[in-house]
Amino acid sequence: MSATYLHPRPALTVDCVIFGLNTGLDELWVLLVERGQKPFKGRWAIPGGFVRVGESLETAARRELDEETGLRDVFLEQLYTFGEPDRDPREHVVSVTYYALVNLDDYELEAGTDAKKAAWFPVKRREKELAFDHRRILDVALARLRGKLSYQPVGFELLPRKFTLSQLQRLYEIILEQPVDKRNFRKKVLAMGILRDLGEVQENVRHRAAKLYAFDEKAYRQKEKAGFHFEL
Amino acid sequence: MSATYLHPRPALTVDCVIFGLNTGLDELWVLLVERGQKPFKGRWAIPGGFVRVGESLETAARRELDEETGLRDVFLEQLYTFGEPDRDPREHVVSVTYYALVNLDDYELEAGTDAKKAAWFPVKRREKELAFDHRRILDVALARLRGKLSYQPVGFELLPRKFTLSQLQRLYEIILEQPVDKRNFRKKVLAMGILRDLGEVQENVRHRAAKLYAFDEKAYRQKEKAGFHFEL
DNA sequence: GCAAAAGTGTTCACCGTACACCCATGG
DNA sequence: CCATGGGTGTACGGTGAACACTTTTGC
């Protein structure tokens, strides 16, 4: 394939910052791929690649994510577009970035098509030497994720379908990297009215069994439409 | 100029949604340009154009804005990137959009270089037939401007250097398109501590002269750094 | 004196926050 | 019985919202 243009154009890529939480809720992870080619060969990078003519940005993001890591059906949200001319040493590359938060256990990583390895890294242990300006992109994504968490019920989908309030609280604490008051958290989250009490409890735990809840998506959609705010 | 690429690339443009307020504070305006060429020849559009290789997105946005409307030194903020393949009938064009809010009286519109006319339009009287998907872009920008207004002191720069609290209030009311309680507004805005009472009053008004205030940028920067929130 | 906008306080309801102890279970 | 996490309520202060009259000025 080849194309000629009257004026040279910057290249256009999409990059996906995928945050992951395991069901154990230990830590926040980020999905990176090892670069198989120059530049930055051998360095870890945010998965992404070139946008093809005729595909939407989000489609491109999904495709690249699938190709490089095997992840599919992720809910992506646009983050920011980075376009400094020197962010790629080869040429001027503009990158439209997306981010998402997924349950890490739901996805099996596959080897990328072009000898790329994909792996989860703890966000806390900041891998210093990411390729390109990907450290900066990661930082922007993390700030956005935290900002969003405080005014929208992000993350319910990440938990097992039946979860305890403590699990939900731990989720918030891990992402925000700060402790949350148990009683106030429960009050607020129950007051939102988007959790269904399943009437079941945990089994085989060596402490008092916790009640199980489910995310009531129908109620959520309704309240969202009505302009309800979900601050936490 | 010409360039050949192994793979065809989408074209890359920047578009600038410039909102304007006149000092009279009558209405919110948006800056549009009349298209001189196909497609959508004769239709009004958001100013913008193609990104050149080697220039940053924001630089490109400033350049296009200047070329098409004569506006310079505008504080632009990135809005969103639109990349649906069919948003331009000619070919796949990805547009990185920016927005800004300026004092309309500070800027003299100049005729664009390529026979484009630039003009301010009231946002309320929605010009239906904008070029491309620019109606949608405008809507997104408007939503963002309003959202931002409620948690940041946007717009102080738009007023004359010496302004009254009523003027500031009117600014908010125009942008939000809803009335604001006078006493509560004054309380909150004064409590922020980012206004300097100039000890002067209006002259030649046929009603009680209002106190004049100035935006205390130094105080603002300090409070901002300290993580202060400016909700309104 | 009248029109037009400036200026000014209080009350109330609600919400965020801080805070500590008993309960159920498995081992 | 002990270790582990589950579960619960109240008091306080601060904040957002509603609300009406007096003051100043130019004409």
Side-chain angles (χ1 to χ4, degrees), chain A residues 116-214:
Chain A
K116 274 169 197 144
K117 280 181 291 185
W120 293 99
F121 288 80
V123 167
K124 265 197 206 164
R125 277 177 260 150
R126 302 163 55 88
E127 295 295 314
K128 275 274 163 55
E129 302 291 341
L130 297 189
F132 307 104
D133 57 350
H134 287 189
R135 161 57 51 197
R136 169 145 181 259
I137 296 176
L138 212 171
D139 287 340
V140 172
L142 194 54
R144 184 85 139 253
L145 175 66
R146 286 183 182 145
K148 182 145 189 152
L149 195 67
S150 55
Y151 66 90
Q152 285 199 11
V154 182
F156 288 74
E157 326 83 49
L158 309 189
L159 296 170
R161 256 213 308 284
K162 305 174 176 187
F163 55 86
T164 70
L165 292 183
S166 292
Q167 287 179 300
L168 185 58
Q169 180 178 343
R170 227 167 303 150
L171 184 151
Y172 272 73
E173 290 178 327
I174 288 166
I175 297 175
L176 298 176
E177 281 189 33
Q178 57 178 11
V180 170
D181 181 90
K182 183 163 56 161
R183 279 175 288 191
N184 294 337
F185 180 82
R186 282 163 186 246
K187 242 186 300 174
K188 262 187 275 187
V189 81
L190 289 175
M192 285 181 186
I194 55 176
L195 293 187
R196 275 207 325 279
D197 185 335
L198 295 174
E200 305 171 47
V201 293
Q202 288 177 311
E203 289 175 11
N204 300 322
V205 286
R206 62 183 203 189
H207 53 75
R208 176 171 176 178
K211 284 191 194 174
L212 292 171
Y213 293 85

Side-chain angles (χ1 to χ4, degrees), chain B residues 174-186:
Chain B
I174 290 166
I175 297 176
L176 298 176
E177 279 188 35
Q178 58 178 9
V180 170
D181 182 90
K182 183 161 58 160
R183 280 173 289 191
N184 293 336
F185 180 82
R186 284 165 185 244

